[in-house]
């Protein structure tokens, strides 16, 4: 809902596998437009492609691509919207993934923050003037969420935060206009999303 893809648009989903957000986007776009789905894991991307076939999503193109260092062909795409649903610590989904309590360390956050920054820096080059970049995670750690957005904006002055107020319930909106759900407060998985608009 924060991405709000529209029929006829071009969308790039940078970390597309396993494909849930891609399929929802296709539905929101009424299977009209173009979705370019990247993922660096070929096997997981095949699962997303299979799901698209089963559900009748015919506008998606699936490309094995490293979102941190895309090929020249991949970099030539100009999109209306780009989704970076970034790899993260997953600490917002501990109720479903209790194993993460023992598998994550403090150093994981630092390593993932570097990856998240690289994904954002690559993705923003795909967006046409006036287009939208959405950065999302399934963690509640500020180092992976708000701080990544702040760092991105410091590097890319051509982008600005656009409030998600029109797309999510008010109680899931931060004072900066980001979407943020907290398991203990909202009774759902913890997640984060920011709308970043490229100035025309």
């Amino acid at each position: 809902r924060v991405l709000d893809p529209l029929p006829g648009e071009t969308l790039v989903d940078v970390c597309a596998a396993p494909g849930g957000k891609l399929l929802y986007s296709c539905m929101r776009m009424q299977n009209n437009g173009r979705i370019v789905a990247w993922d660096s894991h070929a096997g997981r991307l095949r699962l997303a492609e299979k799901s698209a076939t089963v559900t009748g999503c015919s506008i998606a193109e699936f490309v094995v691509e490293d979102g941190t260092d895309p090929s020249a062909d991949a970099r030539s795409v100009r999109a209306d919207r780009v989704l970076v649903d970034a790899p993260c610590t997953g600490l917002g989904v501990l109720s479903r993934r209790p194993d993460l309590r023992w598998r994550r360390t403090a150093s994981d956050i630092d390593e993932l923050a570097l990856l998240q920054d690289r994904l954002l820096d690559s993705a923003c080059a795909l967006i046409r003037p006036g287009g939208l970049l959405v950065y999302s995670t399934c963690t509640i750690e500020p180092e992976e969420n708000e701080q990544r957005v702040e760092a991105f904006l410091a590097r890319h002055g051509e982008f600005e935060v656009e409030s998600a107020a029109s797309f999510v319930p008010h109680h899931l909106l931060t004072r900066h206009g980001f979407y943020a759900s907290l398991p203990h407060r909202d009774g759902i998985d913890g997640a984060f999303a920011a709308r970043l608009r490229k100035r025309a």
Side-chain angles (χ1 to χ4, degrees):
R1 290 168 61 182
V2 173
L3 183 64
D4 189 38
L6 301 175
E9 291 186 333
T10 295
L11 164 66
V12 178
D13 187 347
V14 173
C15 304
K21 294 177 178 68
L22 180 154
L23 296 179
Y24 186 51
S25 294
C26 187
M27 184 186 76
R28 296 280 299 247
M29 295 169 71
Q30 300 171 26
N31 205 29
N32 176 8
R34 181 186 184 199
I35 300 175
V36 182
W38 294 357
D39 205 275
S40 59
H41 301 281
R44 285 166 49 86
L45 194 62
R46 280 194 296 272
L47 292 175
E49 187 170 9
K50 182 177 179 180
S51 296
T53 300
V54 168
T55 59
C57 175
S58 61
I59 62 171
E61 308 162 21
F62 297 86
V63 185
V64 177
E65 198 71 60
D66 179 356
T68 66
D69 186 24
S71 65
D73 282 348
R75 291 196 307 269
S76 70
V77 175
R78 286 299 167 264
D80 300 290
R81 298 175 199 255
V82 174
L83 173 63
V84 177
D85 185 36
C88 66
T89 56
L91 297 178
V93 296
L94 286 177
S95 63
R96 291 189 288 117
R97 294 283 312 280
D99 59 299
L100 291 176
R101 288 179 173 87
W102 296 277
R103 293 176 53 200
R104 292 297 186 204
T105 65
S107 64
D108 290 338
I109 294 177
D110 295 333
E111 290 175 19
L112 285 163
L114 291 173
L115 174 60
Q116 292 153 359
D117 285 347
R118 291 179 65 199
L119 287 166
L120 284 167
D121 287 344
S122 291
C124 72
L126 306 172
I127 300 170
R128 64 165 181 77
L132 185 72
L133 170 62
V134 169
Y135 172 69
S136 66
T137 70
C138 59
T139 186
I140 56 176
E141 294 298 319
E143 295 91 340
E144 298 181 86
N145 295 336
E146 294 89 348
Q147 291 179 24
R148 297 284 50 79
V149 172
E150 291 169 10
F152 172 79
L153 293 172
R155 295 190 305 273
H156 297 279
E158 71 275 24
F159 283 84
E160 59 189 357
V161 172
E162 184 174 274
S163 176
S166 299
F167 307 97
V168 300
H170 181 73
H171 70 280
L172 298 176
L173 197 70
T174 74
R175 63 189 179 91
H176 297 295
F178 304 138
Y179 167 88
S181 56
L182 299 171
H184 68 278
R185 181 191 69 190
D186 306 311
I188 57 177
D189 286 344
F192 173 87
R195 289 171 60 92
L196 304 168
R197 180 71 67 180
K198 187 173 185 178
R199 293 183 177 91

